[in-house]
Amino acid sequence: MKGDEGINGNLSRVREVQVALVAPERCHRCLLCIYRCPTGNIRLVGDELVCGEECLACGNCVEVCSRRALRLVVKG
Amino acid sequence: MTTTTVMDFEVVVIGAGLAGLRAALAAAEAGCRTGIVCKSYLAAETASGMAGGGFIYPSKDLPPEDYLEEVVRTGRGFNDMRLLESLARYGEADFHDAVRRFGWSYVVRDRYQSTLTGGLVPGYRTTLQVARAAVAAGAMPVENHTVVKLLVDDGRCLGCVCLNERGELCYLKAGAVVLATGGFAGLFALNDNPPRSTGDGHVLALEAGCRLRDMEFVQFYPLGLDDKRLPHYMMGLPFPQGTRLLDENGEDVLARHFPAGTTLYEAAKEYRDRLSIVILKEKEQGHRPLVDFSQTDRGEWDRFSITRLLPRWGRDPLAAPVPVSPIAHFTMGGVVVGPDLQTDVPGLFAAGEVAGGVHGANRYAANALLACLVHGRLAGEAAARAAVEARAGALACASLPAREDILAESFCAYLCGGSPAIDGGAEASEEVRRLRGQLGQLCGRYLNPLRSENMLRQGLAALSQLEARVRPMRAGGACAREVVELRAGVRVARWAMQAALLRQESRGAHYRDDFPQTDEITWRRPIVVEPTADGEGEAR
């Protein structure tokens, strides 16, 4: 199809996404993402933010992070 | 000038929640080359992705007349019956068809509510199943593209223009378009929606020449958790017996406003909207309404969402009462559509929360997802028919290539003041974030359930000031999409305030403290936002 090369990588797959801490150096442990998640999916394990299996990909945590440290990424 | 990408489809669906995906599936199965364009990933950042999965439809246990009567009673007579007829007629069959093809599992509650199951909240996985079906049928995802304008030529919708993640333009040509962009509850400071439910589609539709209706009807739930350490969650029914609403002194709030002995459960069930007003009036007087679980039976906690979730959020239900405020949940207002989900503009259809007139002045519980399923399918099928007719009619699409350059330039100027690939930078992005926060506060303050002429006029004035700062912003680079959402949001908020100011009565979800009665003589008509010559739209 005209013009569609490279628009979106693999166009024919449905990608499940979840939240990930993409910029751990920017995270300042304000914990707002943990508080804001409707399923309590984000936890602090030691010094690390860990995202579990109940992500709804709603984007609330991404929105609340003032450091833009979180993003929805393709799983796996 | 930057080169832009062009994609050629027969049907383009904008929005990848349940309604959009169901529409895309229908269009693809009708044999149309179908694209699904969404500003996130398929099924991600959608309301259906967050939904608890409840469906109510007529069946052997619920006669259609009873279903319609309940829906219209809740909608205070403002429902468009033609849109409800399709829900009543196809609801049961479409639900069971969905269960079969998408592999949904469900339980039946109270004899006629079917609720999807799976995980803590079934929404994202169940919506993703629909995405898989749509793509398997041939629909093509165009993810992470934010639509900024619908293309209308010679009075017909012929596709749309969108921005990718780098702020570059992309044209999606189409014989017909389905808008399934969701609602605008995400604009409010306290809401339980995806943050990016900002009414983008409402603005796209109006700019293309469509009317909107019922913009003043915003559904709030009274018991929204309003605590910095808790999610923005709507404490819905059921909850444990013995749950109380107290103020900061431990006094019973309900006793001040409702007949003696009214429990919080009864108030939330029978007087839901009045309860929102009560909570706001208490706050106006300096009180802090709090939900208290100290008199509930701990042995029952596992049966109720709120007491199951609080520990998951790190809170013992007995530790302290939880502050509550009305929380924005759903927006009834949207694009005016006919029974086949056709908008005012030929070739443009709308389904799901973006379509107005389904729910009237207030939405009947569990009807939203049903509307996504049934109206999504009908809109996709109608769009497919329209696209086939358009193809047969050898329409103005042929003239589009010549206009692309002109369109591209005007969009560049409109959005970016120059090359669209300018990086907005960290400062621009901080400014956008701040203004978005201000918009949220504005909507929360002036569009909450307790409305009056004074408040609404103040709101419109405050909104004008905000708009003046938003208007010159250029959508460059990485924050292009945030700017687009912000610009959409201020307009949608303005239309909602205008309509709320006009409607001098109380009805359904719209309450005016200065006009607390329903006025069936003057106001038994929807307020419509009409496109105007300056493109701004006005509520009438």
Side-chain angles (χ1 to χ4, degrees):
Chain A
M1 195 175 301
K2 174 182 141 197
D4 65 356
E5 297 86 356
I7 281 258
N8 222 14
N10 187 341
L11 285 165
S12 58
R13 270 180 49 224
V14 173
R15 287 96 64 81
E16 187 172 344
V17 300
Q18 68 181 22
V19 67
L21 182 58
V22 295
E25 71 286 358
R26 291 211 284 265
C27 174
H28 63 157
R29 307 292 185 276
C30 69
L31 307 187
L32 284 178
C33 55
I34 293 180
Y35 299 144
R36 188 60 66 91
C37 176
T39 56
N41 186 57
I42 307 176
R43 293 172 302 131
L44 193 59
V45 178
D47 223 12
E48 298 290 304
L49 273 189
V50 173
C51 302
E53 292 300 307
E54 297 288 351
C55 183
L56 301 180
C58 69
N60 269 291
C61 55
V62 174
E63 173 87 355
V64 84
C65 177
S66 60
R67 299 287 182 92
R68 293 189 170 231
L70 295 167
R71 222 176 39 213
L72 290 177
V73 300
V74 177
K75 254 175 114 156
Chain B
M1 221 220 48
T2 307
T3 53
T4 55
T5 317
V6 182
M7 298 183 79
D8 214 325
F9 292 107
E10 288 171 310
V11 172
V12 164
V13 176
I14 305 177
L18 181 57
L21 292 168
R22 190 61 188 87
L25 173 61
E29 287 190 329
C32 284
R33 195 166 59 248
T34 304
I36 314 169
V37 57
C38 47
K39 59 184 181 179
S40 183
Y41 296 86
L42 298 185
E45 304 190 69
T46 62
S48 46
M50 296 182 78
F55 292 80
I56 292 182
Y57 43 80
S59 63
K60 63 176 174 24
D61 293 310
L62 181 62
E65 317 82 66
D66 292 2
Y67 163 80
L68 287 172
E69 196 186 302
E70 276 304 300
V71 171
V72 172
R73 195 174 62 86
T74 311
R76 298 292 188 273
F78 265 28
N79 314 66
D80 184 334
M81 291 311 294
R82 300 169 305 167
L83 294 171
L84 291 185
E85 268 155 27
S86 53
L87 296 188
R89 186 186 312 168
Y90 300 118
E92 186 175 23
D94 274 336
F95 177 75
H96 288 291
D97 177 69
V99 162
R100 189 179 47 81
R101 335 160 54 138
F102 310 138
W104 287 352
S105 37
Y106 69 101
V107 293
V108 178
R109 296 209 165 103
D110 305 325
R111 283 173 59 224
Y112 51 74
Q113 171 162 333
S114 301
T115 306
L116 302 184
T117 55
L120 201 61
V121 176
Y124 181 49
R125 288 193 180 105
T126 49
T127 308
L128 216 48
Q129 291 291 78
V130 188
R132 291 189 179 105
V135 169
M140 179 179 293
V142 182
E143 293 170 313
N144 297 301
H145 281 61
T146 302
V147 177
V148 298
K149 202 104 181 146
L150 291 171
L151 286 171
V152 176
D153 194 37
D154 213 17
R156 203 199 153 80
C157 184
L158 295 174
C160 61
V161 182
C162 44
L163 288 173
N164 69 11
E165 285 175 292
R166 292 178 298 282
E168 296 160 349
L169 288 172
C170 175
Y171 288 104
L172 305 187
K173 291 203 236 177
V177 173
V178 178
L179 262 183
T181 46
F184 57 92
L187 289 176
F188 293 78
L190 194 64
N191 75 78
D192 68 350
N193 274 237
R196 296 178 74 196
S197 291
T198 45
D200 303 0
H202 296 62
V203 173
L204 291 174
L206 185 120
E207 285 188 342
C210 297
R211 288 169 299 155
L212 309 177
R213 60 170 284 179
D214 299 342
M215 293 298 283
E216 67 274 36
F217 296 110
V218 178
Q219 188 177 64
F220 287 81
Y221 272 66
L223 306 173
L225 304 188
D226 194 4
D227 184 314
K228 283 189 170 56
R229 296 189 172 207
L230 289 173
H232 292 176
Y233 179 79
M234 163 198 129
M235 187 174 122
L237 299 168
F239 48 78
Q241 217 176 23
T243 309
R244 298 180 299 160
L245 187 69
L246 307 177
D247 70 10
E248 66 285 0
N249 300 315
E251 289 179 21
D252 193 318
V253 168
L254 295 187
R256 297 202 268 268
H257 301 274
F258 290 95
T262 308
T263 63
L264 183 59
Y265 191 94
E266 282 159 358
K269 190 170 188 338
E270 300 302 330
Y271 307 109
R272 190 187 69 206
D273 296 324
R274 214 170 110 194
L275 185 53
S276 285
I277 306 299
V278 160
I279 290 172
L280 289 169
K281 288 199 165 175
E282 287 275 322
K283 290 180 78 159
E284 247 182 10
Q285 279 154 29
H287 291 300
R288 278 190 88 214
L290 306 148
V291 168
D292 170 82
F293 299 98
S294 63
Q295 292 187 2
T296 62
D297 175 4
R298 178 193 276 276
E300 280 203 323
W301 284 0
D302 218 50
R303 290 173 45 211
F304 303 100
S305 302
I306 184 65
T307 35
R308 272 205 310 271
L309 284 165
L310 277 168
R312 207 183 150 83
W313 296 324
R315 182 74 68 95
D316 176 359
L318 295 181
V322 181
V324 288
S325 277
I327 184 166
H329 179 65
F330 183 90
T331 51
M332 275 69 77
V335 186
V336 172
V337 289
D340 60 348
L341 292 315
Q342 163 75 54
T343 69
D344 290 335
V345 172
L348 182 64
F349 301 82
E353 196 172 346
V354 74
V358 182
H359 307 290
N362 213 346
R363 180 185 62 91
Y364 180 67
N367 228 13
L369 291 176
L370 190 72
C372 289
L373 210 53
V374 177
H375 292 159
R377 175 178 63 79
L378 292 174
E381 288 170 358
R385 286 193 297 272
V388 166
E389 278 167 24
R391 191 198 314 147
L395 46 78
C397 236
S399 72
L400 227 85
R403 297 166 50 111
E404 272 165 20
D405 283 359
I406 302 168
L407 287 169
E409 270 187 44
S410 65
F411 279 119
C412 286
Y414 166 72
L415 290 169
C416 321
S419 162
I422 293 171
D423 181 8
E427 280 176 23
S429 143
E430 264 319 293
E431 171 75 347
V432 173
R433 202 186 152 81
R434 272 194 330 101
L435 290 174
R436 180 73 164 78
Q438 284 179 20
L439 179 60
Q441 294 299 323
L442 251 161
C443 290
R445 182 152 184 234
Y446 298 106
L447 275 173
N448 72 38
L450 181 54
R451 300 168 175 178
S452 66
E453 173 163 350
N454 248 358
M455 286 301 272
L456 289 164
R457 288 201 187 283
Q458 280 178 42
L460 281 165
L463 194 58
S464 276
Q465 288 185 7
L466 182 61
E467 252 182 306
R469 291 162 61 204
V470 168
R471 210 168 279 269
M473 296 194 94
R474 289 296 170 240
C479 67
R481 296 178 301 162
E482 283 89 335
V483 171
V484 169
E485 286 171 354
L486 184 56
R487 290 167 79 155
V490 294
R491 295 175 74 188
V492 165
R494 175 159 37 87
W495 296 329
M497 286 186 196
Q498 281 178 350
L501 184 58
L502 271 176
R503 183 170 295 282
Q504 291 180 333
E505 64 152 3
S506 293
R507 179 187 297 264
H510 170 73
Y511 176 79
R512 286 279 298 260
D513 211 26
D514 46 352
F515 293 95
Q517 306 302 321
T518 304
D519 182 348
E520 293 288 4
I521 313 248
T522 319
W523 287 108
R524 197 186 170 81
R525 67 168 183 87
I527 289 173
V528 168
V529 179
E530 291 188 356
T532 48
D534 62 2
E536 287 304 309
E538 197 185 321
R540 295 188 180 134

